[in-house]
Structures are given as C-alpha cells and as structure tokens.
Amino acid sequence: MALIGCGFFAQNHLHSWASIPEVEIVAVCDRDAAKAEAAQKNFGAARAYTDAAEMFAAEKLDFVDIATTMQTHLALVEMAAAQGVHVIVQKPLAPSFEDCQKIVDTCAQAGVRLMVHENFRFQSPILAARRALADGRIGKPHYCQASFRSGYDVFSGQPYLATEKRFILIDLGIHILDVCRAIMGEAETLYCLTQHINPKIAGEDVATTMIRHRDGGVSVVDCSYASRRLPEPFPQTVLRIEGEHGTIELLEGYRLRVTSHGQVTEEGVEPETLSWTQKPWHVLQESVLNLQRHWVDTWRKEEMPETSGTDNLQTYALVMAAYRSAESGSVVTLAA
Ligand code: NAD
Ligand code: 89Y
C-alpha cells in the first residue's frame, strides 16, 4: 500500500500499518518533501514521492490510504480509481455532499473498494458499549446521548481548524453523529443549535443536535471545544443509552456501567497505551489501528467495511442537515 499525506494525523496511520503483518508500506507521498522523506525513513517505505500522479504511474499498489485534508480527496481518489487501486479516505470525505457522492460513484464505477477513515465507532470503549447493546443487555434502545465536551487546544496540532468557517460539526461532530448512527440507526428529523464562543477561531465551536430516528428513538448529540473543566476529558466521548431493560453508560474515566434487568455492573474500558501511543490521544490512536485491521479483515472476507463510502454518506448528510438546521432555525427532514 501507499499513504498520501504524511502530516499530523497520518503518523497514527503509519504506526498502525507498520504493526499489521499482512500490510507492506511500499510508498509514501506528501507535497512537502521533508514530511515524505521522514515518513519513508521512519516506517521503512521503499520510495517517497511529492507528486501523487507520479506515484500512481510508478507503483503497483493494492490500496492507497489518503490522509490529506478534505479539499484534495476527490482528485486523489480519481487518480487511484483510474489505476484500479482500492481506497481509504480520511473524514470528512469532501467539502460538499456532491463531491462525497462523486467519490462514492467514482469508486463504484471503477470497481474499487472504498472505506472512509471514520474511526470513532472503533474506539475500544465505544466498541464495548456497542457490544453490550448488541448482546441485548438493555433490549431495544429508545434514547441515546452522545457527548463530547472539551476545552483542549486542538488548534496547535491542526492550525487549519481555526480558520475554517465551519468547524466543530464537520471536524468532530461528524464522528459523534456517526457513533450515534451506529447505535440508534438512521435519522428522520434533526434540529441543531450552534454557538461560536472562542473569538480567535472562525467557525462554530459548540453544537447541540436533537435527532428523531426512523424507528422512533430520540438522540441528543452535543459537541463542544469551549468547555473549561478539570480534569480535561479530551478526547473522551461519553454515552448514555436507555433501552427497555436498562441503561448503558460510558462514563468519563473510561468506565462502562450497565444496568440490566435491575442489576448493575461496572468495568474499566480504557485501552492500554501501545509502544507508539500517548495519553490523552491513546484512545483515538488505538481506534486507527482497530479501523485499519477492520479494512484488512473485511477485504479478506470479501465483506463491505462498516464505514464504506455509501454508509458514510448517511453520516455526512447528518452534518449537512445540522448546518442547515442551525442556519435556518428549523427542523430538517432527512431524505429517505
Ligand atoms: P495535516 O495538514 O497535518 O496533514 C496533511 C498532509 O497532507 C500535509 O503534510 C500536506 O502537505 C499533505 N498534502 C496535502 N495535499 C496533498 C496532495 N495533493 N498530495 C500529497 N500530499 C498532500 O492535516 P491532518 O491534521 O493530519 O489532517 C488530515 C486529515 O485527517 C483531515 O481530513 C482531518 O480531518 C483528519 N483527521 C482525522 C482524525 C481522526 O480521528 N479520524 C484526527 C485528526 C485529523
Ligand atoms: O480532527 C479531529 C478528529 O477527527 O478527531 C479529533 C480532532 O483531531 C480534533 O477535533
């Protein structure tokens, strides 16, 4: 495989690919030669490129992992699809729904697999909560609160986040809405309020969304980068899922509490740090490995990955509906 975009978050992709035995990183590519060369040296790739077109012309690849920012995704996917190379693309898939659809269609027409790097649903604490639900411990869920509230300075590592006119919903809310979809299913209607608290950034940094799901369930998805509180909980997502027989709570401090048929159990679900992960990012870093492992496993079984392009269009549609709702002040109905 080859990786395009050797920046801030791609380091986690590289460490994860390096620890999956079935995968060989043959090439890396970044417009910035220094970043490409550092990745080549640190992860033992045979070749480093600064031009993706040149890389696709020269290499025989099974798949490419695109870890650049969203503005470049469509053009890079078109290059991969033209060579019959399977694709993983970081979230958000593209700046508009139309371009996301083009990415999905381009891959379908070329017959290449497409997975979106939507990793939050693969965090081990969230997987533990999803397992408790799938095991029937609370029965059918009718309410979910998925909450991510932090004051962590994400702008020092990712400065582009401070200048985007749209910030928290498309950067972070996309993950929490995706976790909510994974738990509660598709949405029918949605209402969102946004706030812009930090004057040093261009976009909204708080978003509170209420969802009515197609099967009648209700969710509240709230995200904030303007919450000043100690201990700083970044990057924990907390969950409360209520069902007919009990409640699943993923609490701060990575505690999973399940009330099932009048009995309560509680366990720690914080992942161990790996040789290349560091707190507080370890839970996100490990989810990259879990997602990349899922790509390899589903490829071998010839199954669709959970976060296929087609699946991710539904999550992206929620983000766009949330912006529409916040801008218009009205409830938005999602297309079937
Ligand atoms: P970054 O700016 O640090 O890295 C992007 C790199 O891509 C840069 O080094 C840039 O030179 C390179 N690049 C851009 N266009 C290119 C092209 N056409 N060809 C080759 N190289 C090119 O950005 P980042 O913070 O690492 O974010 C990258 C993506 O990862 C974003 O979409 C972001 O939303 C996503 N991200 C996801 C998570 C997660 O948990 N899933 C976390 C952080 C960032
Ligand atoms: O870019 C974001 C993401 O996808 O997860 C956390 C993050 O790094 C900052 O919000």
Side-chain angles (χ1 to χ4, degrees):
M1 59 82 62
L3 179 126
I4 306 177
C6 306
F8 171 75
F9 203 69
Q11 304 310 308
N12 302 312
H13 296 221
L14 286 161
H15 277 292
S16 296
W17 291 128
S19 62
I20 297 178
E22 296 95 320
V23 173
E24 185 190 354
I25 308 168
V26 295
V28 288
C29 173
D30 197 295
R31 285 204 285 232
D32 179 335
K35 286 189 189 169
E37 280 158 22
Q40 177 189 20
K41 179 165 155 277
N42 295 337
F43 295 94
R47 286 163 294 279
Y49 295 86
T50 52
D51 181 342
E54 208 178 289
M55 182 184 82
F56 281 115
E59 300 288 343
K60 276 219 156 312
L61 301 167
D62 287 321
F63 72 94
V64 67
D65 185 11
I66 299 172
T68 58
T69 44
M70 64 178 166
Q71 293 77 4
T72 57
H73 291 170
L74 174 59
L76 293 168
V77 168
E78 283 172 346
M79 286 183 210
Q83 301 289 327
V85 173
H86 303 287
V87 193
I88 307 174
V89 189
Q90 253 296 351
K91 51 58 69 175
L93 201 43
S96 68
F97 189 84
E98 291 67 32
D99 280 2
C100 294
Q101 186 73 62
K102 269 192 205 158
I103 288 177
V104 171
D105 293 346
T106 301
C107 290
Q109 279 153 19
V112 300
R113 291 171 77 79
L114 167 64
M115 180 175 81
V116 180
H117 188 115
E118 178 42 78
N119 52 322
F120 271 44
R121 62 162 81 193
F122 289 99
Q123 288 176 25
S124 43
I126 292 175
L127 286 173
R130 291 175 63 198
R131 247 189 329 270
L133 182 64
D135 289 348
R137 294 180 64 188
I138 63 162
K140 183 174 155 41
H142 55 257
Y143 174 83
C144 171
Q145 181 176 7
S147 180
F148 182 110
R149 305 192 77 83
S150 164
Y152 189 84
D153 174 19
V154 282
F155 310 106
S156 57
Q158 296 169 265
Y160 58 93
L161 295 176
T163 55
E164 297 286 341
K165 275 206 339 240
R166 289 180 160 180
F167 165 45
I168 201 166
L169 276 167
I170 193 148
D171 170 65
L172 190 276
I174 198 165
H175 290 303
I176 315 302
L177 288 164
D178 186 72
V179 167
C180 175
R181 268 190 66 231
I183 291 167
M184 297 294 284
E186 302 308 344
E188 190 170 81
T189 56
L190 165 161
Y191 180 63
C192 178
L193 292 171
T194 56
Q195 292 164 277
H196 184 171
I197 304 294
N198 180 350
K200 294 193 187 128
I201 67 167
E204 85 290 353
D205 49 3
V206 183
T208 309
T209 307
M210 275 178 73
I211 298 171
R212 163 78 73 184
H213 294 272
R214 287 195 197 144
D215 66 357
V218 168
S219 295
V220 178
V221 176
D222 60 309
C223 311
S224 164
Y225 271 126
S227 303
R228 314 267 159 226
R229 189 166 55 90
L230 294 174
E232 167 54 58
F234 180 86
Q236 297 180 63
T237 303
V238 297
L239 297 173
R240 180 189 186 95
I241 312 165
E242 297 181 3
E244 52 195 339
H245 306 308
T247 298
I248 298 166
E249 293 166 278
L250 180 57
L251 304 165
E252 261 175 36
Y254 300 107
R255 305 291 303 168
L256 182 71
R257 184 191 294 149
V258 181
T259 305
S260 176
H261 297 279
Q263 302 287 317
V264 187
T265 55
E266 191 167 321
E267 59 178 317
V269 287
E270 178 169 9
E272 299 283 323
T273 50
L274 306 171
S275 61
W276 53 274
T277 68
Q278 309 83 28
K279 289 183 182 185
W281 285 87
H282 61 311
V283 67
L284 289 195
Q285 292 173 309
E286 192 217 36
S287 71
V288 171
L289 175 58
N290 294 344
L291 170 133
Q292 293 182 186
R293 187 68 256 168
H294 179 72
W295 166 259
V296 173
D297 292 344
T298 52
W299 181 320
R300 290 193 133 177
K301 291 191 225 149
E302 297 184 10
E303 288 171 1
M304 286 292 274
E306 256 191 51
T307 58
S308 67
T310 310
D311 176 88
N312 196 256
L313 286 178
Q314 306 282 338
T315 295
Y316 195 93
L318 289 182
V319 173
M320 291 299 127
Y323 278 119
R324 254 199 333 276
S325 172
E327 283 155 16
S328 65
S330 51
V331 174
V332 169
T333 300
L334 278 296

